[in-house]
Amino acid sequence: TRDSAVFPSYGSLVQCCSEVAGLGGSHEFVKNELTLQHTFNTILGLAVTGSFSFGILDKFGTSSILDNFYLGGPLTFRGFEECGVGKKEDGSITGSSMFWRYNTHIHAPLPFLSKKNKLSNLIRIHLFMNSGNVGNRLENLTKDLQGLVNNVRLSYGAGLALNINNLMRLEINYCLPVFYSNNDSIVSNKNQWGFGLLFF
Protein backbone atom coordinates (compact mmCIF):
# COMPACT_ATOMS: atom_id res chain seq x y z
CA THR A 1 0.00 0.00 0.00
CA ARG A 2 3.02 2.34 -0.27
CA ASP A 3 2.54 5.45 -2.35
CA SER A 4 6.13 5.19 -3.64
CA ALA A 5 8.77 2.46 -3.74
CA VAL A 6 11.65 4.97 -3.51
CA PHE A 7 10.44 7.68 -1.11
CA PRO A 8 7.22 6.40 0.49
CA SER A 9 5.34 8.80 2.74
CA TYR A 10 2.78 6.24 3.94
CA GLY A 11 1.81 2.63 3.47
CA SER A 12 3.06 -0.89 4.17
CA LEU A 13 4.93 -3.64 2.39
CA VAL A 14 4.81 -7.37 3.12
CA GLN A 15 7.16 -9.44 0.99
CA CYS A 16 8.00 -13.14 1.21
CA CYS A 17 10.52 -14.82 -1.07
CA SER A 18 10.94 -18.61 -1.09
CA GLU A 19 13.48 -20.63 -3.03
CA VAL A 20 13.37 -24.44 -3.29
CA ALA A 21 16.25 -26.51 -4.61
CA GLY A 22 16.30 -30.29 -4.83
CA LEU A 23 13.79 -31.14 -7.53
CA GLY A 24 16.79 -31.54 -9.80
CA GLY A 25 20.49 -30.78 -9.73
CA SER A 26 23.00 -31.26 -6.93
CA HIS A 27 21.75 -28.80 -4.28
CA GLU A 28 18.96 -29.49 -1.81
CA PHE A 29 17.63 -26.71 0.41
CA VAL A 30 14.69 -24.42 1.19
CA LYS A 31 15.45 -20.71 1.55
CA ASN A 32 12.89 -18.25 2.92
CA GLU A 33 13.13 -14.49 3.41
CA LEU A 34 10.43 -12.25 4.91
CA THR A 35 10.33 -8.43 4.83
CA LEU A 36 7.86 -6.25 6.74
CA GLN A 37 7.87 -2.48 6.22
CA HIS A 38 5.65 0.37 7.34
CA THR A 39 5.92 4.11 6.66
CA PHE A 40 4.00 6.96 8.22
CA ASN A 41 4.12 10.72 7.76
CA THR A 42 4.78 13.11 10.63
CA ILE A 43 4.95 16.86 11.09
CA LEU A 44 7.24 18.98 8.92
CA GLY A 45 6.94 16.47 6.09
CA LEU A 46 9.09 13.81 7.78
CA ALA A 47 8.54 10.24 6.56
CA VAL A 48 9.49 7.57 9.12
CA THR A 49 9.98 4.00 7.91
CA GLY A 50 10.52 0.88 9.98
CA SER A 51 11.62 -2.29 8.19
CA PHE A 52 12.23 -5.80 9.53
CA SER A 53 13.74 -8.66 7.53
CA PHE A 54 14.37 -12.27 8.50
CA GLY A 55 15.85 -15.10 6.48
CA ILE A 56 16.52 -18.79 7.10
CA LEU A 57 18.14 -21.46 4.96
CA ASP A 58 17.35 -25.11 5.71
CA LYS A 59 19.68 -27.59 4.03
CA PHE A 60 18.58 -31.12 3.23
CA GLY A 61 21.75 -32.01 1.34
CA THR A 62 24.59 -30.14 -0.25
CA SER A 63 24.61 -26.40 -0.90
CA SER A 64 27.05 -23.70 -1.94
CA ILE A 65 28.22 -20.61 -0.08
CA LEU A 66 26.52 -18.70 -2.90
CA ASP A 67 23.19 -19.87 -1.45
CA ASN A 68 23.89 -18.26 1.94
CA PHE A 69 22.73 -14.85 3.18
CA TYR A 70 25.12 -11.91 3.26
CA LEU A 71 24.85 -8.66 5.21
CA GLY A 72 26.90 -5.54 4.74
CA GLY A 73 27.13 -2.69 2.28
CA PRO A 74 24.98 0.32 1.42
CA LEU A 75 22.04 -1.83 0.29
CA THR A 76 21.78 -4.23 3.26
CA PHE A 77 23.70 -2.86 6.26
CA ARG A 78 25.20 0.62 6.09
CA GLY A 79 28.45 1.24 7.89
CA PHE A 80 29.85 -2.18 6.97
CA GLU A 81 31.81 -3.24 3.92
CA GLU A 82 30.08 -5.27 1.22
CA CYS A 83 29.14 -8.65 2.81
CA GLY A 84 31.25 -7.55 5.80
CA VAL A 85 29.01 -8.79 8.65
CA GLY A 86 29.98 -12.18 10.04
CA LYS A 87 32.98 -14.41 10.46
CA LYS A 88 35.43 -15.34 7.76
CA GLU A 89 37.37 -18.52 7.08
CA ASP A 90 40.94 -18.07 5.85
CA GLY A 91 40.09 -14.48 5.00
CA SER A 92 37.14 -15.45 2.79
CA ILE A 93 33.54 -14.42 3.41
CA THR A 94 31.33 -17.48 3.83
CA GLY A 95 27.90 -15.99 4.57
CA SER A 96 25.34 -17.48 6.95
CA SER A 97 22.20 -19.57 6.90
CA MET A 98 20.18 -17.16 9.10
CA PHE A 99 19.93 -13.41 9.52
CA TRP A 100 17.70 -10.67 10.83
CA ARG A 101 17.80 -6.94 10.22
CA TYR A 102 15.81 -3.99 11.53
CA ASN A 103 16.16 -0.58 9.88
CA THR A 104 14.69 2.77 10.78
CA HIS A 105 14.77 5.55 8.18
CA ILE A 106 13.74 9.18 8.36
CA HIS A 107 13.47 11.07 5.09
CA ALA A 108 13.11 14.83 5.34
CA PRO A 109 12.68 17.38 2.54
CA LEU A 110 15.42 19.89 1.91
CA PRO A 111 14.93 23.00 4.05
CA PHE A 112 13.78 26.33 2.65
CA LEU A 113 12.13 24.69 -0.38
CA SER A 114 8.41 24.55 -1.10
CA LYS A 115 6.66 21.29 -1.94
CA LYS A 116 6.18 22.54 -5.50
CA ASN A 117 9.92 22.73 -6.04
CA LYS A 118 11.14 19.73 -8.08
CA LEU A 119 14.18 19.28 -5.84
CA SER A 120 11.84 18.51 -2.94
CA ASN A 121 10.72 15.34 -4.74
CA LEU A 122 14.18 14.37 -6.00
CA ILE A 123 16.49 14.88 -3.03
CA ARG A 124 15.82 14.08 0.62
CA ILE A 125 17.83 14.30 3.80
CA HIS A 126 18.33 10.76 5.05
CA LEU A 127 18.74 9.67 8.69
CA PHE A 128 19.04 5.97 9.44
CA MET A 129 19.69 3.31 12.06
CA ASN A 130 20.57 -0.28 11.10
CA SER A 131 20.68 -3.25 13.44
CA GLY A 132 20.84 -6.98 12.92
CA ASN A 133 22.86 -10.15 13.15
CA VAL A 134 23.81 -13.31 11.29
CA GLY A 135 24.05 -16.93 12.40
CA ASN A 136 24.08 -20.49 11.17
CA ARG A 137 21.29 -23.04 11.24
CA LEU A 138 22.40 -25.97 13.36
CA GLU A 139 20.08 -28.49 15.04
CA ASN A 140 17.90 -26.72 17.60
CA LEU A 141 15.93 -23.84 16.08
CA THR A 142 15.24 -22.26 19.47
CA LYS A 143 18.94 -22.10 20.34
CA ASP A 144 19.75 -20.87 16.85
CA LEU A 145 17.30 -17.99 17.22
CA GLN A 146 18.64 -17.17 20.68
CA GLY A 147 22.11 -16.95 19.18
CA LEU A 148 20.89 -14.30 16.77
CA VAL A 149 20.04 -12.03 19.71
CA ASN A 150 23.63 -12.07 20.97
CA ASN A 151 26.33 -9.77 19.58
CA VAL A 152 23.90 -7.55 17.67
CA ARG A 153 25.44 -5.15 15.17
CA LEU A 154 24.33 -1.51 15.14
CA SER A 155 25.14 1.50 12.99
CA TYR A 156 23.59 4.87 12.33
CA GLY A 157 24.28 7.91 10.23
CA ALA A 158 22.98 10.61 7.91
CA GLY A 159 23.29 11.66 4.31
CA LEU A 160 21.45 12.57 1.13
CA ALA A 161 19.19 10.31 -0.95
CA LEU A 162 18.39 10.96 -4.61
CA ASN A 163 15.32 9.64 -6.41
CA ILE A 164 16.31 8.47 -9.91
CA ASN A 165 13.25 8.31 -12.17
CA ASN A 166 11.17 6.59 -9.43
CA LEU A 167 13.14 3.38 -10.12
CA MET A 168 16.11 3.53 -7.79
CA ARG A 169 17.59 5.51 -4.93
CA LEU A 170 21.16 6.81 -4.82
CA GLU A 171 22.55 7.46 -1.34
CA ILE A 172 25.61 9.26 -0.07
CA ASN A 173 25.93 8.68 3.67
CA TYR A 174 28.15 9.31 6.64
CA CYS A 175 28.10 6.05 8.62
CA LEU A 176 29.07 5.36 12.19
CA PRO A 177 29.28 1.67 13.22
CA VAL A 178 28.56 1.43 16.96
CA PHE A 179 28.41 -2.28 17.77
CA TYR A 180 30.34 -4.78 15.68
CA SER A 181 32.47 -7.90 15.98
CA ASN A 182 36.23 -8.13 15.51
CA ASN A 183 35.57 -10.38 12.52
CA ASP A 184 33.41 -7.76 10.78
CA SER A 185 34.67 -5.41 8.10
CA ILE A 186 33.47 -1.89 8.85
CA VAL A 187 33.73 1.21 6.68
CA SER A 188 37.03 2.79 7.67
CA ASN A 189 36.52 6.36 6.46
CA LYS A 190 32.83 6.37 7.53
CA ASN A 191 31.76 7.53 4.07
CA GLN A 192 29.66 5.18 1.99
CA TRP A 193 27.61 5.55 -1.16
CA GLY A 194 25.60 3.16 -3.23
CA PHE A 195 22.51 2.62 -5.34
CA GLY A 196 20.29 -0.33 -6.05
CA LEU A 197 17.40 -1.48 -8.16
CA LEU A 198 14.85 -4.10 -7.12
CA PHE A 199 12.68 -5.99 -9.61
CA PHE A 200 9.32 -7.43 -8.55
Side-chain angles (χ1 to χ4, degrees):
T1 60
R2 300 179 302 173
D3 59 337
S4 171
V6 179
F7 288 151
S9 59
Y10 66 87
S12 301
L13 168 71
V14 178
Q15 178 180 304
C16 182
C17 182
S18 297
E19 181 180 353
V20 179
L23 303 179
S26 59
H27 292 183
E28 296 176 321
F29 63 86
V30 176
K31 184 177 181 180
N32 294 293
E33 185 173 354
L34 174 68
T35 299
L36 306 173
Q37 184 186 105
H38 182 69
T39 303
F40 61 92
N41 215 339
T42 64
I43 59 174
L44 303 177
L46 301 180
V48 181
T49 300
S51 178
F52 175 79
S53 298
F54 175 76
I56 185 168
L57 172 68
D58 279 312
K59 305 176 184 178
F60 302 108
T62 59
S63 67
S64 167
I65 63 172
L66 298 177
D67 303 318
N68 290 338
F69 296 105
Y70 294 88
L71 281 185
L75 300 182
T76 60
F77 209 124
R78 299 170 185 85
F80 291 80
E81 297 287 353
E82 195 70 34
C83 306
V85 178
K87 67 177 183 179
K88 302 175 179 61
E89 294 184 6
D90 298 327
S92 300
I93 301 170
T94 58
S96 61
S97 54
M98 292 193 308
F99 86 95
W100 70 268
R101 180 179 67 241
Y102 179 77
N103 302 331
T104 300
H105 305 273
I106 299 177
H107 288 105
L110 294 174
F112 312 114
L113 292 179
S114 65
K115 293 183 178 180
K116 296 181 180 180
N117 194 306
K118 292 183 178 181
L119 286 179
S120 298
N121 298 321
L122 294 178
I123 303 177
R124 299 287 175 90
I125 298 173
H126 180 215
L127 307 175
F128 66 87
M129 184 279 294
N130 296 158
S131 60
N133 201 359
V134 296
N136 285 313
R137 183 78 171 91
L138 301 176
E139 296 181 359
N140 190 307
L141 180 59
T142 301
K143 291 184 178 180
D144 295 341
L145 294 176
Q146 289 175 349
L148 286 178
V149 181
N150 299 325
N151 197 21
V152 173
R153 278 74 165 181
L154 175 69
S155 67
Y156 62 86
L160 293 176
L162 173 65
N163 183 352
I164 302 178
N165 202 29
N166 289 322
L167 291 176
M168 65 180 73
R169 183 172 65 235
L170 172 66
E171 295 182 3
I172 303 174
N173 294 317
Y174 178 84
C175 306
L176 184 61
V178 180
F179 300 131
Y180 52 89
S181 170
N182 292 331
N183 296 321
D184 297 336
S185 299
I186 62 174
V187 176
S188 56
N189 58 8
K190 299 180 182 178
N191 295 311
Q192 194 172 45
W193 68 276
F195 66 92
L197 179 64
L198 294 178
F199 294 93
F200 296 100

